Amino acid sequence: MSASQKQPFLNKERRRILYAFLAGIVLFIVGEMVRPGFASPSGIRAILVVASFVGIVAAGQTFVILIGGIDLSVPWVLNAGAILMVTSSLGHDARAIPALALTLGMGAAVGALNGAGVALLGIPAVVMTLAMNGIMQGLTLGLSGGMTCTSCGAYAPPVVQAAVHQSFLGLPIVLWIWIAIIIVVSFLLAMTRFGRMTYTVGNNARASHLAGIHVSGVTIVLYALSGFFSALAGIMLVGFGGQAALGMGDPYLFQSIAAVVIGGVYILGGRGHYLGSVAGAISLTVLVSVLLAFNMPDYGRSIVYGIVILALLLLYGREEDSA
Amino acid sequence: MPLPETILAASGPRRSRLSHALTQNIGLALVVALLIACVILYCVLYIVTQHRLPGGFELTSTLNNTMPLAFAALAQTLVVLTRGIDLSVGGVIDLTNAVAALTLMGGPVSTTLWTIAILGIGALCGLLNGVLVAIGRLQPILVTLSTLSIFQGIAIRILPQPGGAMPPGFTGVLANPNVPLSLIYIPIIGILWAIFRRTPLGVAVFAIGNDAMAASSHGISVKRTTILAYMLGGVASACAGLFLAANATAGDATTGDTYTLTSIVAAVLGGVSLFGGRGSGLGALFGAFVTVMVVNILFFAHIDPLYQTFYEGLFLLAAVIAANVIGQIVRRRR
Amino acid sequence: MTIAAVEAVDIGKAYGGVAALTKASFTASAGEVHALVGENGAGKSTLIKIMGGRVRPDTGEIRIGGQAVSLAGPQAAHQLGAWTVFQELTLLPWMTVAENLLLRQEPRAFGLIDRKATLRDADALLARFGVMHIDPRALVEDISLAERQTVEIVRAVSHAPKILFLDEPTSSLVEREVEWLFGQIRRLREQGCCIVFTSHRWAEIRSIADRITIFRGGQDVGTFTDIDEDEAVRLMTGRRVEALYPAMSPAPDDAPVMMEARALSGPNLRQVSFALRRGEVLGVGGLAGHGHRELFRTVFGDAHASGGTLSVQGKEKRFRSPRAAIASGIALVPEDRKSEGLLLRMSVRDNASLAILKRLTRFGILKPQEERRAAQHVVDSLRVRTAGIGLAVGALSGGNQQKVLLGRWLETECQILLLYDVTRGVDVATKHEIYELVVALARDGHAILFYSSDAEELAHLCHRVLVMREGVVAAELRAPGVTAEDIVSAAVRDHRAA
């Protein structure tokens, strides 16, 4: 074998991550030109905080897309998480810890159900998570009486609000949380047995099964993680906005999938890194902010958004010809 | 020609036509059974709560409510058969619905021409999807997710506020509020589907969904077939937009959004395989009726409407699991 | 036999740097049946794919009727009257036999496809070629592999080809169906058709081929009208048969039984019993589709037995998954290394360490140095030719891929190896290494269940050979003195009675 077949340091995957980060930087520069102060430290901080919500959801989406799945239940798991957080804590710091545990546990449990449907019952991921989204929407609306319940108007506990708004060493705490998630998730995928199994299942579930990997177990845990991160994003969002609202999860489905794909994670599974999804989440958020800086109306943003994603996909997201 | 030397003789009688028809169309058979069950349950609930049989009004409104979904499900089916998925169905419905709201209030000739133009818009949307998938070699789910965003944006640009109006003649034909005229669209869809199945394009769509490599080795153009399937899907979505506008007698650039997901639900209930190559437009049509009937049933069962999506989700899962189980049993018995 | 109907001239083709064909040539005339023979991996299938228009050659020329042609696809070949039955069948699984037979030439009525007439025509077509046992209404996925092969052949023959390529047409057929196929081939030959086919069964080649071209290592080594098997094998392998196979380890007749199956039954598996001893290589042979696959899957916990028992080292086991079987010291090298064995896009290291990940982790965290060491051990001990353990395993040649897969299991403490056709698509040199490895492993005390589609291999490597037919062990042959012919004849014998 010739040396030319060795993998270069900047292989295709790493190149995509780099592109996604570069796109974000270019957009920051464009924003600065349109509206001076856009890329000031405080401007960047504000954008990164918004990006962190997408990025946290995208962590879960990355996990399931790495095994060729998809999680369409993000919107209402997130929304349910947000509402469960305020209604169970009622805005008291004393109840924050059990409320956090309850909310995150709910997310993980719902995700595990998704995984069980996919892995054990053989339901296509699109159908399973779509149905779960409906189930969570119905439960959330029904149990909260359409957000008319007395506890529904409660605020997030001050600690949770502080976690989003206050700074530590010059960075908002929510960004520290995100950095921790980036480190943990990247470590999990790159350095642990579980991460390795995730990639092998995504590459070839049949071969993994025959090599003794517990494919259905891995699948269930990955979907559970996706539910967990959706619920976590819900908590962060009520911390950010103070209160929960209906429909607050809706934008995050599209954005999380877009972020993952822009970051170079292969939609059919097996290849990609969370760092790529992080880059995707940041560039998408900067893009939206730039369009806002242009005073572009909603419809225009929607159109540009679609076109930019298509353009990026055409740039590097080509399906490979052969296996 | 001399007779071949060795004959591979039949070892027993062949299975009957009916037996083949039933096992090969098990998905269709199941959705029909499901629909019948839904209709019976609906009638029972109706009698219990209203103390009379459902009549013409209920039939008319059910039909008019179902037609947009039926066309959306048909659009989804055409694309899913090629091993794709079309998330932009809702966007195309939004767009065509918005255009309809602004253009249809003219004379009969202008209305007719604009109707055709709107179908053309649907075809163009499908063309864009198809080209990006077949020639751009992008994953269908990503392409249509992006174009969904684009189509929705254009729709809102065209019709920022719900409004516009539909000429009475247009409404009278597509979604007549007084008589169950929409009944005729069921056989029309059935006939159109039967024709489609019997065209080379129809065969090609199924063939590439079965195995694109094998199909192309028999001279079927995978690119051309894929693009045409997305275009036909776009036209069907445009039909859904028109029927939706007629039923609402006005336009709204956002009401189509929900159809992306419900079209998948209806197609899956109708026995269309998300892995391509298997399913039928008729199944999707019945799947759409089941989807609407479930909502009606929940209403008459006095289920809190807030819980509606909860029961719909459960129902979808139950139906898919049941179809899996029954399919396996049928398979094993042979 | 003056005008060559078809000629391949110095065809070369490489996949990802690995040459499948270097300089392959042959010439076949109208009215001739021409056999292409060679070892697995000699490049016959690639050559047929190129001749059929499925794959484009890198170098060389194809001539049809004396004219150099460039085949853009199977369609282009069809237009020149050349039809091919590829080894990977091209039937559409969820469509009916009739739809498949008449794809793109369905009878029309009022411009639309007439489905009734399609069925009628398909029925007539099957009847015309003497195929009465296949129902044109059946879905392809519901008919057997042999029936699919038959349909594919009928489809090709129905076009009255001038040139017909058949890649291993008999591999899944039983005796009676082979007779039928040969009847068709003879009839086509009388009509002036040129038939080119590949086969591994020497008796068949002798009975039907007019000329034989032998391939080795991606090129032709000669064309013959009459050649005896020993000579042919010598040309195919480049060495004497005896030299290819290492000496067997002594038969361990009184060694402890490692695995015992009693009346194991399941889909395509009926009452299979055997005992596998420490140090034994127990062969499993027979025609494709007769239950070997199911036997291996069942023993490995990948399929569930409906009856019978399996015991490992005296303890009765009921494996619910391969994981359970692996925990009992069993390893499987599966049939299709690309779809069932390897993670093609992942590195040699990732593939080699897959079965021992647990040992390479502490608190769930991988120990990269130990993993690298283990992977390097696989590469070194099995002499895997690779630029490094970081290279994607899909970039290696077939033989080296197979070594990585074998090495994955040798790193575990497995004592029972299930080897399913491990030399398929592997070059001769690697084959030889694998044979030596198998014998060495047996000598080391491993118990090996060894299936091969190559009867020669079974005859030379195994202490005993179980020949399976229709899910039943039809014969047990004992070394020494077993020949490939014994195995093949046991596989097809009395088929009509059974």
Side-chain angles (χ1 to χ4, degrees):
Chain A
M1 296 279 146
S2 65
S4 66
Q5 282 184 336
K6 271 193 188 151
Q7 295 225 340
F9 174 73
L10 217 55
N11 60 19
K12 202 179 283 165
E13 281 175 37
R14 290 185 182 142
R15 218 161 39 227
R16 286 176 185 180
I17 300 173
L18 192 68
Y19 286 156
F21 272 119
L22 284 177
I25 292 169
V26 168
L27 284 165
F28 266 120
I29 294 168
V30 172
E32 178 67 31
M33 289 192 304
V34 177
R35 192 204 287 156
F38 184 89
S40 68
S42 67
I44 293 176
R45 260 202 306 271
I47 286 172
L48 288 181
V49 166
V50 175
S52 72
F53 304 131
V54 180
I56 290 170
V57 178
Q61 202 70 262
T62 303
F63 280 126
V64 296
I65 289 180
L66 274 177
I67 55 163
I70 196 155
D71 190 350
L72 303 182
S73 69
V74 161
W76 283 94
V77 174
L78 189 158
N79 212 328
I83 293 173
L84 187 59
M85 185 65 209
V86 294
T87 51
S88 59
S89 68
L90 295 170
H92 298 304
D93 273 353
R95 304 174 75 151
I97 300 279
L100 278 172
L102 182 70
T103 306
L104 295 175
M106 180 279 298
V110 171
L113 280 178
N114 277 332
V118 171
L120 304 179
L121 299 175
I123 302 172
V126 169
V127 176
M128 183 65 218
T129 56
L130 184 59
M132 188 56 83
N133 191 49
I135 289 172
M136 291 310 293
Q137 180 181 0
L139 280 180
T140 308
L141 287 174
L143 293 175
S144 69
M147 282 304 270
T148 57
C149 61
T150 40
S151 56
C152 290
Y155 284 84
V159 248
V160 176
Q161 295 197 39
V164 180
H165 291 291
Q166 283 183 10
S167 289
F168 174 72
L169 297 179
L171 271 187
I173 294 175
V174 65
L175 288 185
W176 286 113
I177 295 175
W178 193 23
I179 289 168
I181 291 174
I182 294 170
I183 293 169
V184 169
V185 169
S186 297
F187 179 80
L188 188 72
L189 284 175
M191 302 296 289
T192 66
R193 189 160 83 100
F194 180 76
R196 179 66 61 76
M197 292 193 291
T198 303
Y199 285 106
T200 64
V201 171
N203 258 275
N204 188 336
R206 173 91 187 124
S208 303
H209 174 69
L210 287 180
I213 304 284
H214 197 325
V215 175
S216 48
V218 171
T219 305
I220 291 171
V221 172
L222 288 171
Y223 276 93
L225 281 171
S226 181
F228 174 89
F229 281 113
S230 292
L232 180 61
I235 294 169
M236 292 296 161
L237 277 170
V238 283
F240 188 62
Q243 274 181 300
L246 290 179
M248 63 194 284
D250 290 350
Y252 290 93
L253 175 59
F254 181 71
Q255 294 191 15
S256 66
I257 297 173
V260 169
V261 170
I262 287 175
V265 179
Y266 189 48
I267 192 81
L268 300 183
R271 277 172 297 159
H273 301 283
Y274 178 51
L275 209 53
S277 309
V278 170
I282 292 173
S283 357
L284 274 180
T285 310
V286 188
L287 174 66
V288 173
S289 309
V290 168
L291 295 178
L292 278 172
F294 272 110
N295 285 324
M296 191 170 281
D298 262 356
Y299 70 83
R301 264 182 284 154
S302 177
I303 296 171
V304 174
Y305 215 69
I307 291 175
V308 166
I309 293 169
L310 276 179
L312 281 171
L313 289 177
L314 283 172
L315 195 68
Y316 62 64
R318 294 295 187 94
E319 224 176 288
E320 262 107 293
D321 269 337
S322 59
Chain B
M1 185 184 298
L3 268 177
E5 293 159 18
T6 306
I7 287 176
L8 297 169
S11 54
R14 285 181 178 173
R15 289 171 54 225
S16 72
R17 258 179 75 178
L18 190 69
S19 153
H20 275 303
L22 202 63
T23 48
Q24 289 174 16
N25 295 298
I26 184 76
L28 193 58
L30 285 175
V31 73
V32 170
L34 200 56
L35 182 55
I36 293 170
C38 283
V39 170
I40 292 172
L41 184 59
Y42 171 75
C43 288
V44 169
L45 283 171
Y46 194 94
I47 293 166
V48 168
T49 55
Q50 309 292 308
H51 307 294
R52 63 180 178 87
L53 267 170
F57 173 77
E58 284 73 25
L59 180 62
T60 306
S61 68
T62 302
L63 283 170
N64 289 342
N65 287 336
T66 308
M67 288 328 292
L69 179 57
F71 279 101
L74 210 56
Q76 194 63 256
T77 301
L78 283 163
V79 171
V80 167
L81 280 175
T82 67
R83 286 198 182 178
I85 192 158
D86 189 352
L87 300 184
S88 75
V89 163
V92 179
I93 294 176
D94 283 338
L95 179 57
T96 49
N97 191 333
V99 174
L102 291 188
T103 58
L104 291 184
M105 267 319 267
V109 178
S110 138
T111 302
T112 311
L113 288 179
W114 271 109
T115 303
I116 294 167
I118 287 168
L119 295 180
I121 292 173
L124 277 179
C125 293
L127 178 69
L128 177 63
N129 285 330
V131 166
L132 285 166
V133 170
I135 296 172
R137 288 187 293 139
L138 297 176
Q139 285 297 326
I141 191 167
L142 303 179
V143 166
T144 54
L145 200 59
S146 309
T147 55
L148 169 68
S149 178
I150 296 173
F151 298 154
Q152 281 174 331
I154 299 173
I156 292 174
R157 170 74 187 82
I158 291 172
L159 189 70
Q161 305 295 330
M166 295 296 139
F170 181 77
T171 304
V173 174
L174 293 190
N176 195 307
N178 304 315
V179 285
L181 192 64
S182 295
L183 218 45
I184 59 161
Y185 294 111
I186 298 172
I188 287 178
I189 292 176
I191 291 167
L192 285 176
W193 181 258
I195 291 175
F196 172 72
R197 257 321 245 125
R198 286 166 177 76
T199 59
L201 176 64
V203 173
V205 166
F206 275 83
I208 66 170
N210 268 259
D211 183 342
M213 258 276 271
S216 82
S217 78
H218 292 288
I220 289 168
S221 164
V222 176
K223 285 187 177 146
R224 184 171 164 275
T225 307
T226 306
I227 292 173
L228 286 174
Y230 278 90
M231 281 181 76
L232 275 183
V235 173
S237 294
C239 287
L242 289 171
F243 275 88
L244 189 60
N247 195 30
T249 69
D252 184 335
T254 58
T255 50
D257 293 353
T258 54
Y259 283 88
T260 290
L261 298 183
T262 45
S263 68
I264 297 174
V265 171
V268 168
L269 286 177
V272 178
S273 162
L274 287 179
F275 302 108
R278 279 173 297 182
S280 110
L282 282 180
L285 172 67
F286 295 134
F289 273 99
V290 170
T291 311
V292 172
M293 287 307 291
V294 168
V295 178
N296 287 345
I297 289 170
L298 292 176
F299 178 78
F300 282 108
H302 292 301
I303 301 284
D304 184 344
L306 291 173
Y307 281 104
Q308 185 183 321
T309 58
F310 171 74
Y311 288 101
E312 285 172 1
L314 279 187
F315 174 77
L316 174 62
L317 286 185
V320 169
I321 293 168
N324 273 354
V325 170
I326 293 171
Q328 272 172 14
I329 291 170
V330 167
R331 204 139 274 281
R332 206 170 299 155
R333 281 191 53 192
R334 271 181 291 165
Chain C
M1 307 246 287
T2 44
I3 316 158
V6 59
E7 278 177 275
V9 186
D10 294 343
I11 303 280
K13 175 76 194 173
Y15 291 103
V18 180
L21 289 173
T22 48
K23 254 184 150 204
S25 308
F26 75 91
T27 305
S29 316
E32 177 189 353
V33 178
H34 196 108
L36 308 180
V37 300
E39 292 270 299
N40 288 328
K44 298 162 304 188
S45 283
T46 308
L47 187 56
I48 296 255
K49 278 185 197 153
I50 288 170
M51 303 307 285
R54 161 92 54 101
V55 170
R56 310 207 72 169
D58 297 338
T59 55
E61 191 172 272
I62 303 165
R63 293 190 199 134
I64 289 180
Q67 297 279 315
V69 294
S70 158
L71 301 173
Q75 278 301 100
H78 297 169
Q79 270 153 20
L80 295 165
W83 291 78
T84 311
V85 176
F86 296 104
Q87 213 173 344
E88 297 89 11
L89 300 183
T90 60
L91 297 178
L92 304 168
W94 305 311
M95 292 170 86
T96 62
V97 169
E99 284 173 311
N100 270 282
L101 276 173
L102 294 169
L103 189 65
R104 302 251 299 157
Q105 41 185 0
E106 301 90 348
R108 303 289 184 90
F110 309 110
L112 295 176
I113 291 163
D114 185 341
R115 296 176 90 176
K116 248 196 193 123
T118 305
L119 275 170
R120 199 185 54 223
D121 289 5
D123 221 356
L125 191 62
L126 289 168
R128 180 148 71 89
F129 293 101
V131 178
M132 316 300 280
H133 68 309
I134 298 175
D135 185 346
R137 285 181 206 278
L139 290 186
V140 165
E141 72 164 344
D142 292 334
I143 63 177
S144 73
L145 191 60
E147 287 169 336
R148 282 178 224 177
Q149 182 83 46
T150 308
V151 171
E152 189 93 43
I153 292 167
V154 168
R155 178 159 71 179
V157 173
S158 73
H159 292 98
K162 279 191 242 159
I163 305 157
L164 178 65
F165 298 104
L166 302 165
D167 193 5
E168 299 264 4
T170 59
S171 63
S172 59
L173 303 185
V174 295
E175 197 187 0
R176 178 135 188 88
E177 291 159 326
V178 173
E179 257 174 55
W180 165 82
L181 172 62
F182 285 5
Q184 297 300 327
I185 290 179
R186 289 196 188 95
R187 192 173 53 77
L188 284 167
R189 175 166 58 186
E190 275 160 36
Q191 292 166 1
C193 176
C194 165
I195 298 116
V196 178
F197 79 107
T198 67
S199 174
H200 278 296
R201 301 184 191 170
W202 191 252
E204 289 175 9
I205 296 165
R206 286 293 292 268
S207 78
I208 191 95
D210 296 312
R211 287 198 296 166
I212 298 163
T213 297
I214 295 177
F215 286 84
R216 183 175 72 219
Q219 58 189 99
D220 54 302
V221 293
T223 298
F224 307 87
T225 50
D226 191 27
I227 180 170
D228 70 44
E229 188 178 358
D230 284 349
E231 176 67 4
V233 169
R234 195 186 60 75
L235 285 170
M236 279 191 275
T237 57
R239 62 178 103 194
R240 295 221 160 266
V241 175
E242 296 77 52
L244 182 62
Y245 296 100
M248 232 179 267
S249 58
D253 284 335
D254 40 8
V257 171
M258 297 292 286
M259 178 192 261
E260 186 168 13
R262 273 188 233 104
L264 218 51
S265 299
N268 204 12
L269 207 59
R270 286 187 287 149
Q271 306 275 328
V272 172
S273 301
F274 64 84
L276 175 61
R277 291 173 188 280
R278 178 188 292 277
E280 184 177 32
V281 184
L282 177 58
V284 181
L287 303 181
H290 282 253
H292 320 99
R293 199 182 146 73
E294 290 78 2
L295 174 64
F296 275 65
R297 286 185 56 196
T298 306
V299 171
F300 195 57
D302 185 45
H304 299 297
S306 59
T309 58
L310 181 75
S311 47
V312 176
Q313 293 182 300
K315 275 189 221 110
E316 195 173 318
K317 299 278 180 181
R318 195 170 284 268
F319 297 133
R320 297 179 59 90
S321 69
R323 229 159 7 104
I326 292 165
S328 292
I330 304 178
L332 168 76
V333 177
E335 177 176 15
D336 184 351
R337 64 172 168 268
K338 290 193 173 167
S339 71
E340 300 186 305
L342 294 167
L343 313 155
L344 290 176
R345 291 180 193 279
M346 296 179 76
S347 65
V348 170
R349 181 200 66 187
D350 294 353
N351 275 281
S353 66
L354 188 56
I356 50 165
L357 279 181
K358 212 172 226 163
R359 207 179 73 205
L360 296 176
T361 51
R362 187 187 295 149
F363 310 124
I365 297 165
L366 289 166
K367 294 183 271 190
Q369 260 163 351
E370 283 189 33
E371 188 184 11
R372 218 172 300 134
R373 212 174 301 138
Q376 196 59 49
H377 182 249
V378 167
V379 168
D380 293 343
S381 60
L382 294 180
R383 294 192 295 274
V384 178
R385 278 183 293 275
T386 171
I389 58 172
L391 194 69
V393 82
L396 305 187
S397 73
N400 285 304
Q401 290 181 0
Q402 196 69 287
K403 284 185 188 172
V404 172
L405 198 47
L406 275 161
R408 173 196 292 170
W409 292 114
L410 299 183
E411 291 299 303
T412 69
E413 255 103 65
C414 68
Q415 292 175 303
I416 301 168
L417 275 164
L418 312 174
L419 305 182
Y420 196 101
D421 226 359
V422 279
T423 57
R424 201 172 73 162
V426 164
D427 57 291
V428 177
T430 309
K431 251 184 206 185
H432 184 67
E433 291 178 57
I434 291 177
Y435 296 152
E436 286 185 327
L437 181 66
V438 167
V439 171
L441 288 170
R443 198 164 273 143
D444 262 14
H446 286 81
I448 300 172
L449 195 64
F450 188 90
Y451 166 77
S452 175
S453 53
D454 183 352
E456 202 71 52
E457 257 176 38
L458 294 170
H460 283 91
L461 286 177
C462 302
H463 298 111
R464 284 182 298 147
V465 179
L466 307 175
V467 182
M468 290 185 69
R469 198 170 61 215
E470 298 189 337
V472 179
V473 175
E476 182 182 328
L477 308 171
R478 216 166 245 284
V482 181
T483 66
E485 282 72 25
D486 297 340
I487 295 169
V488 172
S489 73
V492 299
R493 195 193 314 145
D494 292 333
H495 188 255
R496 259 162 288 187

